[in-house]
Amino acid sequence: MYKLSLTLLAIILAFKCISADIPTRLLNNGQKIPIVGLGAGHVTEESVRSALEVGYRHIDTSLNYGDSEIIIGKVLKEVLKDGKIKRQDLYIVSKLETEYHTRSRVPEGIKKSLQRLDLDYLDLYLIHSPDSQPANITVGETWLGMIDVLKANLTRSIGVSNFNQKQLDEVIAKGVVPVTNQVICNPYVNERKLLAYADSHNVTLTAYSPVGGRAYPDLLKDPKLIEIGNKYKVSSAQVALRFEIQRGVIAIPNSQNPKYIKENIDVFGFKLTDEDIKAIEALNKKDS
């Protein structure tokens, strides 16, 4: 039977909503993050507007996602000016890229993203990938730069992306624990061990490609996910997303299709059973 730690279960039961009945996860610094967000690797003005209209408030982007930050910034400027959405209702995430990994250049990286987004601060800033770390710079040094921008109030939270346990240990040793580790995570690569490790350190896990993405393009055709979806009259994508949510994992599916954008956030009207969870866990294709 699938079991949650008492701490994680308490967090899930304590979910509160920011907008459109989207639950939030409580982060280790007391901030809250909507548990479902829009992965904005590829966006258009129309897709960002569509997401905001159906209730998304959490948007995840990066400096190297083409013009994503610029597009998001343009739409946010419009909706904030209209007054229908307030800045405090939004949760905007961006990432530090390789050329800014020296401690002294981290502020430069985040300020460039803020300029493109036309914002005064981010809600969360992540080191995008330790694998692209310059040979002469440790992730620990980069993390000190992240702490600098946190103290400068350029972001309300800091975290990492694509980090393994050893790399997480290195940044945790610097005295500020990342609020999240964003990794590829879905029923085919469920990151069970990394999730347990993160939970033990009060670090959330954020799943990119939670419905497969380019790495697992056939995930949504999986017979078991379809079977479970038919039982609840939902899609296989909604089953995959619900699987993450019930494990306390934050999910940021990416879509430009208004139908799927809406579908991806409509995952709170059903609940997977322990048997469902066990069956989905059995789909794992990675020793994780």
Side-chain angles (χ1 to χ4, degrees), residues 63-118:
L63 189 63
N64 76 352
Y65 290 170
D67 290 333
S68 174
E69 288 182 329
I70 294 172
I71 292 169
I72 292 166
K74 180 179 179 181
V75 175
L76 292 183
K77 184 176 182 179
E78 293 173 0
V79 299
L80 290 172
K81 184 177 180 180
D82 289 342
K84 295 179 180 178
I85 298 175
K86 297 179 180 179
R87 174 63 183 95
Q88 58 264 34
D89 296 328
L90 295 167
Y91 198 95
I92 309 300
V93 184
S94 195
K95 306 177 187 73
L96 180 78
E97 300 301 344
T98 308
E99 61 267 35
Y100 301 104
H101 277 204
T102 55
R103 180 177 182 176
S104 62
R105 294 202 70 190
V106 175
E108 184 182 345
I110 191 172
K111 287 176 182 178
K112 186 171 183 179
S113 286
L114 288 171
Q115 181 182 29
R116 285 158 59 94
L117 288 161
D118 198 18

Coordinates of all heavy atoms in Angstrom, one line a residue, residues 63-118:
L63 N 15.3 32.1 -18.5 CA 15.9 33.1 -19.4 C 16.2 32.5 -20.8 O 16.3 33.2 -21.8 CB 17.2 33.5 -18.8 CG 18.0 34.7 -19.4 CD1 17.2 36.0 -19.4 CD2 19.3 34.9 -18.7
N64 N 16.5 31.1 -20.8 CA 16.8 30.5 -22.1 C 15.7 29.9 -22.8 O 15.9 29.1 -23.8 CB 18.0 29.5 -21.9 CG 17.6 28.2 -21.3 OD1 16.4 28.1 -20.9 ND2 18.5 27.2 -21.3
Y65 N 14.4 30.2 -22.4 CA 13.3 29.6 -23.1 C 12.9 30.6 -24.3 O 11.7 31.0 -24.3 CB 12.1 29.5 -22.2 CG 12.2 28.3 -21.2 CD1 11.3 28.2 -20.1 CD2 13.2 27.4 -21.2 CE1 11.4 27.2 -19.2 CE2 13.4 26.4 -20.3 CZ 12.4 26.3 -19.3 OH 12.5 25.3 -18.4
G66 N 13.8 31.0 -25.1 CA 13.5 31.8 -26.2 C 12.9 33.2 -25.7 O 13.5 33.8 -24.9
D67 N 11.7 33.6 -26.3 CA 11.1 34.8 -25.9 C 10.0 34.6 -24.8 O 9.2 35.5 -24.6 CB 10.5 35.5 -27.1 CG 11.5 36.1 -28.1 OD1 12.6 36.4 -27.6 OD2 11.2 36.1 -29.3
S68 N 10.0 33.5 -24.2 CA 9.0 33.1 -23.2 C 8.8 34.2 -22.1 O 7.7 34.7 -21.9 CB 9.3 31.8 -22.5 OG 8.4 31.5 -21.5
E69 N 9.9 34.7 -21.5 CA 9.8 35.7 -20.5 C 9.2 37.0 -21.0 O 8.4 37.6 -20.4 CB 11.2 36.0 -19.9 CG 11.7 34.9 -19.0 CD 13.1 35.2 -18.4 OE1 13.9 35.9 -19.0 OE2 13.4 34.7 -17.3
I70 N 9.6 37.4 -22.2 CA 9.1 38.6 -22.8 C 7.6 38.5 -23.1 O 6.9 39.4 -22.8 CB 9.9 38.9 -24.1 CG1 11.4 39.2 -23.8 CG2 9.2 40.1 -24.9 CD1 12.2 39.3 -25.1
I71 N 7.2 37.3 -23.6 CA 5.8 37.1 -23.9 C 5.0 37.1 -22.6 O 3.9 37.8 -22.5 CB 5.6 35.8 -24.6 CG1 6.2 35.9 -26.0 CG2 4.1 35.4 -24.7 CD1 6.3 34.6 -26.8
I72 N 5.5 36.4 -21.6 CA 4.8 36.4 -20.3 C 4.7 37.8 -19.7 O 3.7 38.2 -19.2 CB 5.5 35.4 -19.3 CG1 5.3 34.0 -19.8 CG2 4.9 35.5 -17.9 CD1 6.3 33.0 -19.2
G73 N 5.8 38.5 -19.8 CA 5.9 39.9 -19.2 C 4.8 40.8 -19.9 O 4.2 41.6 -19.2
K74 N 4.7 40.7 -21.2 CA 3.7 41.5 -21.9 C 2.3 41.2 -21.4 O 1.5 42.1 -21.2 CB 3.8 41.3 -23.4 CG 2.9 42.1 -24.2 CD 3.0 41.8 -25.7 CE 2.0 42.7 -26.5 NZ 2.2 42.4 -28.0
V75 N 2.0 39.9 -21.3 CA 0.6 39.6 -20.9 C 0.4 40.0 -19.4 O -0.7 40.5 -19.1 CB 0.4 38.1 -21.1 CG1 -1.0 37.7 -20.6 CG2 0.5 37.7 -22.6
L76 N 1.3 39.7 -18.6 CA 1.2 40.1 -17.2 C 1.0 41.6 -17.0 O 0.2 42.0 -16.2 CB 2.4 39.6 -16.4 CG 2.6 38.1 -16.2 CD1 3.8 37.8 -15.3 CD2 1.3 37.5 -15.7
K77 N 1.7 42.4 -17.8 CA 1.6 43.8 -17.7 C 0.1 44.2 -18.0 O -0.5 45.1 -17.3 CB 2.5 44.5 -18.6 CG 2.5 46.0 -18.6 CD 3.6 46.6 -19.5 CE 3.6 48.2 -19.3 NZ 4.7 48.8 -20.2
E78 N -0.5 43.6 -19.0 CA -1.8 43.9 -19.4 C -2.8 43.5 -18.3 O -3.7 44.3 -18.0 CB -2.2 43.2 -20.7 CG -1.4 43.6 -21.9 CD -1.6 42.8 -23.1 OE1 -2.4 41.8 -23.0 OE2 -1.0 43.1 -24.2
V79 N -2.7 42.3 -17.8 CA -3.7 41.8 -16.8 C -3.6 42.5 -15.5 O -4.6 42.8 -14.8 CB -3.6 40.3 -16.6 CG1 -3.9 39.6 -17.9 CG2 -2.3 39.8 -16.1
L80 N -2.3 42.9 -15.1 CA -2.1 43.6 -13.9 C -2.7 45.0 -14.0 O -3.3 45.6 -13.1 CB -0.7 43.7 -13.5 CG -0.1 42.3 -13.1 CD1 1.4 42.4 -12.9 CD2 -0.7 41.8 -11.8
K81 N -2.5 45.6 -15.2 CA -3.1 47.0 -15.4 C -4.6 47.0 -15.4 O -5.2 47.9 -14.8 CB -2.6 47.5 -16.8 CG -3.0 48.9 -17.1 CD -2.5 49.4 -18.4 CE -2.9 50.8 -18.7 NZ -2.4 51.3 -20.1
D82 N -5.2 45.9 -15.9 CA -6.7 45.8 -15.8 C -7.2 45.6 -14.4 O -8.3 45.9 -14.1 CB -7.1 44.6 -16.7 CG -6.9 44.8 -18.2 OD1 -6.8 46.0 -18.5 OD2 -7.0 43.8 -18.9
G83 N -6.3 45.2 -13.5 CA -6.7 45.0 -12.1 C -7.5 43.7 -11.8 O -7.9 43.5 -10.7
K84 N -7.7 42.9 -12.8 CA -8.4 41.6 -12.6 C -7.6 40.6 -11.7 O -8.1 39.8 -11.0 CB -8.8 41.0 -13.9 CG -9.8 41.9 -14.7 CD -10.1 41.2 -16.0 CE -11.1 42.1 -16.8 NZ -11.4 41.5 -18.1
I85 N -6.3 40.7 -11.9 CA -5.3 39.9 -11.1 C -4.3 40.8 -10.4 O -3.8 41.8 -11.1 CB -4.6 38.9 -12.0 CG1 -5.6 38.0 -12.7 CG2 -3.6 38.1 -11.2 CD1 -5.0 37.0 -13.7
K86 N -4.0 40.5 -9.2 CA -3.0 41.3 -8.5 C -1.7 40.6 -8.5 O -1.6 39.4 -8.6 CB -3.5 41.6 -7.0 CG -4.8 42.4 -6.9 CD -5.2 42.6 -5.5 CE -6.5 43.4 -5.4 NZ -6.9 43.5 -4.0
R87 N -0.6 41.3 -8.4 CA 0.7 40.7 -8.4 C 0.8 39.7 -7.3 O 1.5 38.6 -7.5 CB 1.8 41.8 -8.2 CG 3.2 41.2 -8.1 CD 3.7 40.5 -9.3 NE 5.0 39.9 -9.2 CZ 5.2 38.6 -8.8 NH1 4.1 37.8 -8.5 NH2 6.4 38.1 -8.7
Q88 N 0.3 39.9 -6.1 CA 0.4 39.0 -5.0 C -0.3 37.7 -5.2 O -0.1 36.7 -4.5 CB 0.0 39.6 -3.7 CG -1.5 40.1 -3.6 CD -1.6 41.6 -3.9 OE1 -0.8 42.1 -4.8 NE2 -2.5 42.3 -3.3
D89 N -1.2 37.7 -6.2 CA -1.9 36.4 -6.6 C -1.1 35.6 -7.5 O -1.5 34.4 -7.7 CB -3.3 36.8 -7.2 CG -4.2 37.5 -6.3 OD1 -4.1 37.2 -5.1 OD2 -5.0 38.4 -6.7
L90 N -0.1 36.1 -8.1 CA 0.7 35.4 -9.1 C 1.9 34.7 -8.4 O 2.4 35.1 -7.4 CB 1.2 36.3 -10.2 CG 0.2 37.0 -11.0 CD1 0.8 38.1 -11.8 CD2 -0.5 36.0 -12.0
Y91 N 2.3 33.6 -9.0 CA 3.5 32.9 -8.6 C 4.4 32.7 -9.8 O 4.2 31.8 -10.6 CB 3.2 31.6 -7.9 CG 4.3 31.1 -7.1 CD1 4.4 31.3 -5.7 CD2 5.4 30.3 -7.6 CE1 5.4 30.9 -4.9 CE2 6.5 29.9 -6.9 CZ 6.5 30.2 -5.5 OH 7.5 29.7 -4.7
I92 N 5.4 33.5 -10.0 CA 6.3 33.5 -11.2 C 7.6 33.0 -10.9 O 8.3 33.4 -9.9 CB 6.4 34.9 -11.8 CG1 5.0 35.6 -12.0 CG2 7.1 34.9 -13.1 CD1 4.0 34.8 -12.9
V93 N 8.0 32.0 -11.7 CA 9.3 31.3 -11.5 C 10.2 31.5 -12.7 O 9.7 31.3 -13.8 CB 9.1 29.8 -11.3 CG1 10.4 29.0 -11.0 CG2 8.0 29.5 -10.2
S94 N 11.5 31.7 -12.5 CA 12.4 31.7 -13.6 C 13.7 31.1 -13.1 O 13.8 30.7 -11.9 CB 12.7 33.1 -14.1 OG 13.3 33.0 -15.4
K95 N 14.7 31.0 -14.0 CA 15.9 30.2 -13.7 C 17.2 30.9 -14.1 O 17.2 31.6 -15.1 CB 15.8 28.8 -14.4 CG 14.5 28.1 -14.1 CD 14.4 26.8 -14.9 CE 13.0 26.1 -14.7 NZ 12.0 26.9 -15.4
L96 N 18.2 30.6 -13.3 CA 19.6 31.1 -13.6 C 20.3 30.2 -14.6 O 20.3 28.9 -14.4 CB 20.3 31.0 -12.3 CG 21.8 31.5 -12.3 CD1 21.8 33.1 -12.4 CD2 22.6 31.0 -11.1
E97 N 20.8 30.8 -15.6 CA 21.5 30.0 -16.7 C 23.0 30.0 -16.5 O 23.6 30.8 -15.8 CB 21.0 30.5 -18.1 CG 19.5 30.4 -18.3 CD 19.0 28.9 -18.2 OE1 19.8 28.0 -18.2 OE2 17.8 28.8 -18.1
T98 N 23.7 29.2 -17.3 CA 25.1 28.9 -17.1 C 26.0 30.1 -17.1 O 26.9 30.2 -16.2 CB 25.6 28.0 -18.3 OG1 24.7 26.8 -18.4 CG2 27.0 27.5 -18.1
E99 N 25.8 31.1 -18.0 CA 26.7 32.2 -18.0 C 26.7 33.1 -16.8 O 27.6 33.9 -16.6 CB 26.4 33.0 -19.3 CG 25.0 33.6 -19.3 CD 24.0 32.8 -20.1 OE1 24.1 31.5 -20.0 OE2 23.1 33.4 -20.7
Y100 N 25.7 32.8 -15.9 CA 25.6 33.6 -14.7 C 25.9 32.8 -13.4 O 25.5 33.2 -12.3 CB 24.2 34.3 -14.6 CG 23.8 35.1 -15.8 CD1 23.0 34.7 -16.8 CD2 24.4 36.4 -15.9 CE1 22.7 35.4 -17.9 CE2 24.1 37.2 -17.0 CZ 23.2 36.7 -18.0 OH 22.9 37.5 -19.1
H101 N 26.6 31.7 -13.5 CA 26.8 30.8 -12.4 C 27.9 31.3 -11.4 O 27.9 30.8 -10.3 CB 27.1 29.4 -12.8 CG 25.9 28.6 -13.2 ND1 25.9 27.2 -13.2 CD2 24.7 29.0 -13.5 CE1 24.7 26.8 -13.5 NE2 24.0 27.9 -13.8
T102 N 28.7 32.3 -11.8 CA 29.6 32.8 -10.8 C 28.8 33.7 -9.8 O 27.8 34.3 -10.1 CB 30.7 33.7 -11.4 OG1 30.1 34.8 -12.2 CG2 31.6 32.9 -12.3
R103 N 29.2 33.6 -8.5 CA 28.5 34.3 -7.5 C 28.2 35.8 -7.8 O 27.0 36.3 -7.7 CB 29.2 34.2 -6.1 CG 28.5 34.9 -5.0 CD 29.1 34.8 -3.7 NE 28.4 35.4 -2.6 CZ 28.7 35.3 -1.3 NH1 29.8 34.7 -0.9 NH2 28.0 36.0 -0.4
S104 N 29.2 36.5 -8.4 CA 29.0 37.9 -8.7 C 28.1 38.2 -9.8 O 27.5 39.3 -9.9 CB 30.4 38.5 -9.0 OG 30.9 37.9 -10.2
R105 N 27.8 37.1 -10.6 CA 26.9 37.4 -11.8 C 25.5 36.9 -11.6 O 24.6 37.2 -12.4 CB 27.5 36.7 -13.0 CG 28.8 37.3 -13.5 CD 29.1 37.0 -15.0 NE 28.2 37.7 -15.9 CZ 28.0 37.5 -17.2 NH1 28.8 36.5 -17.7 NH2 27.2 38.2 -17.9
V106 N 25.2 36.2 -10.5 CA 23.8 35.8 -10.2 C 22.9 37.0 -10.2 O 21.8 36.9 -10.8 CB 23.8 35.0 -8.9 CG1 22.3 34.6 -8.6 CG2 24.6 33.7 -9.0
P107 N 23.2 38.1 -9.5 CA 22.3 39.2 -9.6 C 22.0 39.7 -11.0 O 20.9 40.1 -11.3 CB 23.0 40.3 -8.7 CG 23.9 39.5 -7.8 CD 24.3 38.3 -8.6
E108 N 23.0 39.7 -11.8 CA 22.9 40.1 -13.2 C 21.9 39.2 -13.9 O 21.0 39.7 -14.7 CB 24.3 40.0 -13.9 CG 24.3 40.5 -15.3 CD 25.6 40.4 -16.0 OE1 26.6 40.2 -15.2 OE2 25.7 40.5 -17.2
G109 N 22.0 37.9 -13.7 CA 21.1 37.0 -14.3 C 19.6 37.2 -13.9 O 18.7 37.2 -14.8
I110 N 19.4 37.3 -12.6 CA 18.0 37.5 -12.2 C 17.4 38.9 -12.7 O 16.2 39.0 -13.0 CB 17.8 37.3 -10.7 CG1 16.3 37.2 -10.3 CG2 18.5 38.4 -9.9 CD1 16.1 36.8 -8.9
K111 N 18.3 39.9 -12.7 CA 17.8 41.2 -13.1 C 17.4 41.2 -14.6 O 16.5 41.9 -15.0 CB 18.9 42.3 -12.8 CG 19.0 42.6 -11.3 CD 20.1 43.6 -11.0 CE 20.2 43.9 -9.5 NZ 21.4 44.8 -9.2
K112 N 18.1 40.4 -15.4 CA 17.8 40.3 -16.8 C 16.4 39.7 -16.9 O 15.6 40.1 -17.7 CB 18.9 39.6 -17.5 CG 18.6 39.5 -19.0 CD 19.8 38.9 -19.8 CE 19.6 39.0 -21.3 NZ 20.8 38.4 -22.0
S113 N 16.2 38.6 -16.2 CA 14.8 38.0 -16.2 C 13.8 38.9 -15.8 O 12.7 39.0 -16.4 CB 14.8 36.7 -15.4 OG 15.6 35.7 -16.0
L114 N 14.0 39.7 -14.7 CA 13.0 40.6 -14.2 C 12.7 41.7 -15.2 O 11.5 42.1 -15.4 CB 13.5 41.2 -12.9 CG 13.5 40.3 -11.6 CD1 14.2 41.0 -10.5 CD2 12.1 39.9 -11.2
Q115 N 13.7 42.1 -15.9 CA 13.5 43.2 -16.9 C 12.6 42.6 -18.0 O 11.7 43.3 -18.5 CB 14.8 43.6 -17.5 CG 14.7 44.7 -18.6 CD 16.1 45.1 -19.1 OE1 17.0 44.3 -19.2 NE2 16.2 46.3 -19.5
R116 N 12.9 41.4 -18.5 CA 12.1 40.8 -19.5 C 10.7 40.5 -19.1 O 9.7 40.6 -19.9 CB 12.8 39.5 -20.0 CG 14.1 39.7 -20.8 CD 15.0 38.5 -20.8 NE 14.4 37.3 -21.3 CZ 14.4 36.9 -22.6 NH1 15.1 37.6 -23.5 NH2 13.9 35.7 -23.0
L117 N 10.5 40.1 -17.8 CA 9.2 39.9 -17.3 C 8.5 41.1 -16.9 O 7.3 41.1 -16.6 CB 9.3 38.9 -16.1 CG 9.7 37.5 -16.4 CD1 10.2 36.7 -15.2 CD2 8.5 36.7 -17.0
D118 N 9.2 42.2 -16.8 CA 8.6 43.5 -16.4 C 8.1 43.4 -14.9 O 7.0 43.9 -14.6 CB 7.5 44.0 -17.3 CG 7.3 45.5 -17.2 OD1 8.1 46.2 -16.6 OD2 6.2 46.0 -17.6

